[in-house]
Amino acid sequence: MSREKLRRAALPPVQENIDKLEKAINEGNFYGAQQMYKSISARYVSAERYSEALDLLESGACLQLKHGQVTCGAELAFLFVDTLVKGKIPYNEDILDRVRKIYEVFPKVPLPSNMSDDEDVREFTEALGAAKTRLEGCSSFIRAAIKWSAEFGASRNGDPQLHAMLAEYIYSESTELNMAKVSYHFVRGNNPKKFASTLVNFMSKCYPDEDDIAIARAVLMYLSMGNLRDANCLMNELKRQVESQELDFPESDLVQFITFLLLTLERDALPLFNMLRVNYKSSIDREPAFNEKSFMVYSVEIRFKGCLATYSR
């Protein structure tokens, strides 16, 4: 028997290790189990038994996360994706469902809001640290999954559902919210209605002059990717949700610019676009990124072809 066959035969069926390590986790031996998950999965990978390595890592990631061991769970989740890459596992819905299963076990814990004494401040500080750990762990995992999906069969930007997952987690768990980063992933996702819900939530708690910038950024990001359909869907859904919740929709000059821009893109009207840029220059200049050449307003060529707006630098 060849050395390779001997190495493969030396490993037991993966379910034996899954059961053994689950018992260790349930007994509270999180660190010991973590080392075993890593070493045993590495042996399966070395023997090119990738399917069994994935089964073990998926089980371990979910168990550690369910027991609140975020750092351990995130490490195993990342190794799950690393094994997909090493095994050159093609992108498919089954693997995507397994990634989603791990993602859904990552904790979402709201930060405490009432601080009346030093003990509350201490707890809040600890909660901030825990939130940062959760965000870093989940972000590393999903970003790796996005990269894998782009390399092994999904669209060039990676699977849209993975982008939507990451956007939602960043929004829910960030201690210092960066809506530009949230928007970056939502516009590469496939759920403008969920994006609209997130923006409405943001509008209810942001500073006064931040709501219209967030809306404009979202629409312009869609347009910069040639996605007029979802840009319009986002605006329509925003207005619908704001009205249903009896909130006030921003009526600033910047929102007017975005509204007129969407109408302009329904026809081949580059001169009209240039006129809008001049008339609303002071509003556009409120957000420096809107005028950067690498963004979407500074130099634009509009080509109307079947509801597609193509922007070029």
Side-chain angles (χ1 to χ4, degrees), residues 82-100:
D82 187 57
T83 301
L84 293 175
V85 175
K86 288 178 178 177
K88 297 181 179 179
I89 309 298
Y91 164 83
N92 60 65
E93 286 297 322
D94 176 62
I95 297 295
L96 181 60
D97 286 343
R98 297 174 73 175
V99 172
R100 184 184 294 107

Side-chain angles (χ1 to χ4, degrees), residues 43-81:
R43 290 170 61 195
Y44 282 115
V45 170
S46 180
E48 298 182 0
R49 290 167 62 171
Y50 298 110
S51 176
E52 290 165 290
L54 291 170
D55 289 345
L56 183 66
L57 290 166
E58 178 185 353
S59 174
C62 290
L63 281 169
Q64 292 280 35
L65 289 168
K66 286 177 181 177
H67 281 80
Q69 303 300 306
V70 176
T71 300
C72 291
E75 183 180 25
L76 297 180
F78 185 87
L79 288 174
F80 178 89
V81 179

Side-chain angles (χ1 to χ4, degrees), residues 168-306:
E168 289 182 43
Y169 204 81
I170 291 173
Y171 185 77
S172 69
E173 296 302 303
S174 291
T175 57
E176 297 180 3
L177 187 58
N178 183 338
M179 279 304 293
K181 189 178 293 185
V182 173
S183 299
Y184 174 90
H185 290 289
F186 263 125
V187 300
R188 286 159 177 79
N190 58 353
N191 196 341
K193 291 186 177 181
K194 177 63 179 178
F195 190 8
S197 298
T198 301
L199 283 170
V200 170
N201 180 271
F202 174 74
M203 288 160 56
S204 69
K205 58 187 180 184
C206 68
Y207 290 110
D209 294 330
E210 288 185 341
D211 49 3
D212 59 344
I213 288 178
I215 293 170
R217 181 192 296 114
V219 170
L220 291 171
M221 279 185 167
Y222 273 129
L223 295 179
S224 72
M225 299 180 67
N227 192 347
L228 177 60
R229 181 196 63 191
D230 284 351
N232 276 312
C233 178
L234 178 73
M235 281 295 283
N236 292 335
E237 186 65 19
L238 275 171
K239 292 175 182 177
R240 187 193 69 78
Q241 291 191 26
V242 165
E243 182 179 354
S244 68
Q245 297 179 38
E246 298 182 349
L247 302 173
D248 293 326
F249 193 82
E251 297 182 354
S252 67
D253 287 347
L254 185 57
V255 171
Q256 288 182 21
F257 166 72
I258 292 300
T259 302
F260 289 139
L261 176 61
L262 290 173
L263 293 173
T264 300
L265 292 177
E266 297 295 340
R267 51 186 293 192
D268 188 1
L270 181 58
L272 182 55
F273 168 78
N274 288 330
M275 186 184 302
L276 288 174
R277 275 180 51 199
V278 171
N279 291 344
Y280 289 94
K281 184 179 184 305
S282 61
S283 297
I284 296 170
D285 288 347
R286 284 175 50 206
E287 175 53 60
F290 293 171
N291 257 327
E292 291 178 3
K293 288 187 178 181
S294 60
F295 209 55
M296 55 285 278
V297 171
Y298 189 79
S299 178
V300 181
E301 177 185 4
I302 301 174
R303 300 172 187 168
F304 177 65
K305 291 182 179 179

Side-chain angles (χ1 to χ4, degrees), residues 14 31 39 44 147 218 277 281:
V14 71
Y31 178 79
S39 62
Y44 282 115
K147 185 178 179 180
R277 275 180 51 199
K281 184 179 184 305

